[in-house]
Amino acid sequence: MKFVKTALVAAVVLSLAACADDPNRDAKRGGGIGAVLGGVIGNNVSHAKGAPIVGAVVGALAGAAVGNYMDKQRKEVEQQMAPEIQRGELSTTTLSDGSLKVAIASDVSFDLGSATLRPDAMDAYGRIAAILKNYDKTVIHVVGHTDTSGTSDYNQGLSERRAAAVGSFLASQGVPGARLREEGRGEREPIVRTGDNVKEARNRRVDIVIKPVVEGNEQSAWTPPPYLGG
């Protein structure tokens, strides 16, 4: 708290000095102080539990605004990704905590055994990135999954590399890296169970879980999504 007070004093002093002869000094002064405090508060909230910098996300949502914000985002994803949805390559689900899960089949994103995004998949991920940039009050968790073909260690590594590839591509399209979290869950969370689950294509996927930053509970947005299997 002492650090926040010190930063506030510094912000006020700098703002007054910079705007002394400026006819727009009141507006600029308020904006400058707000910017400094936003970074300070975000930094303090983030490091309290060793989490990423919450200040990287613009503002927070409260009350009914959370549901409306996420519903609007889901509708836009479904509109922009309609061709992929119709082909069964992508699906959307609202999770119990209000997060939005966008599940994308690995087969349309990667060649067999590869963690390099296919060129024809980049258009789809580019459209997703454009939406994510517009809805900046969220944290984006990219989670890779595989089926049980191969060893569990190999599948774990492959799922991690694929999640990293998708995260890197989203960042390259302008999604702030500070909002992105990547992890692989290997073969542990199948959405379809068929015998030994070998070569079950629907289980090979990348889930993009979009978690809202909720006022008063900002840290929960950075918590990894719960079980994503069926």
Side-chain angles (χ1 to χ4, degrees):
M1 199 61 192
K2 180 179 179 181
F3 179 70
V4 174
K5 291 179 180 178
T6 301
L8 176 57
V9 172
V12 171
V13 171
L14 289 173
S15 181
L16 289 173
C19 302
D21 299 318
D22 191 333
N24 298 314
R25 60 184 178 277
D26 291 337
K28 291 184 179 180
R29 183 182 305 152
I33 295 172
V36 171
L37 279 182
V40 170
I41 293 172
N43 187 67
N44 276 277
V45 170
S46 68
H47 286 82
K49 297 183 180 179
I53 297 177
V54 175
V57 177
V58 179
L61 299 163
V66 178
N68 292 336
Y69 189 83
M70 297 306 291
D71 286 345
K72 182 179 178 182
Q73 188 171 193
R74 178 175 180 171
K75 290 177 181 177
E76 188 164 341
V77 169
E78 291 173 344
Q79 179 182 30
Q80 294 296 324
M81 308 307 295
E84 287 76 15
I85 292 173
Q86 292 170 2
R87 293 195 297 266
E89 299 170 353
L90 181 148
S91 64
T92 61
T93 306
T94 297
L95 303 180
S96 59
D97 65 354
S99 301
L100 173 62
K101 182 180 80 169
V102 180
I104 307 162
S106 287
D107 290 354
V108 301
S109 302
F110 304 97
D111 290 328
L112 183 64
S114 171
T116 301
L117 270 177
R118 294 171 52 173
D120 54 346
M122 292 181 181
D123 173 67
Y125 282 106
R127 279 178 277 140
I128 292 173
I131 297 170
L132 295 176
K133 287 190 293 183
N134 289 335
Y135 292 85
D136 55 7
K137 296 176 176 61
T138 59
V139 176
I140 303 139
H141 298 261
V142 183
V143 186
H145 304 273
T146 71
D147 63 15
T148 57
S149 300
T151 68
S152 60
D153 285 346
Y154 174 81
N155 290 334
Q156 177 61 33
L158 181 60
S159 69
E160 292 172 0
R161 293 191 298 275
R162 286 180 169 178
V166 172
S168 294
F169 182 80
L170 294 177
S172 76
Q173 299 302 296
V175 179
R179 291 174 55 205
L180 290 163
R181 290 293 169 268
E182 303 149 6
E183 66 170 305
R185 298 188 180 179
E187 60 191 52
R188 300 190 304 276
E189 299 185 2
I191 55 174
V192 178
R193 298 180 184 275
T194 55
D196 61 3
N197 179 37
V198 173
K199 297 183 179 179
E200 175 50 63
R202 286 170 289 181
N203 292 331
R204 302 192 294 266
R205 68 199 190 279
V206 173
D207 288 334
I208 297 176
V209 180
I210 307 163
K211 301 187 73 172
V213 178
V214 180
E215 189 176 89
N217 193 26
E218 289 86 352
Q219 286 293 328
S220 66
W222 303 97
T223 304
Y227 181 81
L228 297 172

